[in-house]
Amino acid sequence: WLAGVDDLVEGEPDLEQALAPIPADATVILLTHNPDLAYDPRAERVALALSGHTHGGQVVLPWLGALHTQGTVLSREQPAGYFDDLPGGGQMVVSRGMGESTPLRFRCLPEIVIVNLLPG
């Protein structure tokens, strides 16, 4: 099953409504712009979350990491990439994306992520 929610900052995401029609034993992929929402305890049914929002930090300094992660959960050391610590044992991929919130990137190349889903 594929579920999506509105943006956490500029919208009104309703995780419960998005997951409500999905059978309890079904595999759930969640599309959420902001990765913070994937760490919500109500997301424990999510097997895989696909997210962005952080732009990978945009400006990543040596020894310091990303200047800003645009969220509250991801660290400055890893503001994008693969995570396997979601509630309920789920996984998440956070893309650095192609755009930027300010016209500057440093040590943070834009990316398009391809996720191959395999059965089992």
Side-chain angles (χ1 to χ4, degrees):
W1 284 76
L2 186 62
V5 292
D6 202 357
D7 183 54
L8 187 59
V9 176
E10 296 181 11
E12 295 182 22
D14 191 336
L15 187 57
E16 291 172 348
Q17 180 183 8
L19 299 176
I22 301 174
D25 61 344
T27 300
V28 179
I29 299 172
L30 176 68
L31 304 177
T32 173
H33 178 75
N34 189 319
D36 286 1
L37 195 57
Y39 286 97
D40 187 304
R42 296 171 295 173
E44 68 182 356
R45 298 176 50 201
V46 173
L48 174 64
L50 301 174
S51 187
H53 183 68
T54 67
H55 302 268
Q58 277 189 228
V59 176
V60 181
L61 300 177
W63 304 288
L64 187 60
L67 290 183
H68 183 54
T69 64
Q70 298 188 43
T72 61
V73 178
L74 302 185
S75 70
R76 291 169 56 171
E77 292 78 26
Q78 188 178 1
Y82 170 76
F83 301 85
D84 62 358
D85 59 347
L86 298 185
Q91 303 171 70
M92 178 169 59
V93 175
V94 179
S95 170
R96 293 190 305 261
M98 294 298 295
E100 65 273 329
S101 55
T102 58
L104 172 69
R105 281 187 183 258
F106 180 72
R107 296 186 70 229
C108 179
L109 294 174
E111 71 177 352
I112 295 174
V113 175
I114 297 172
V115 177
N116 293 312
L117 302 176
L118 303 173

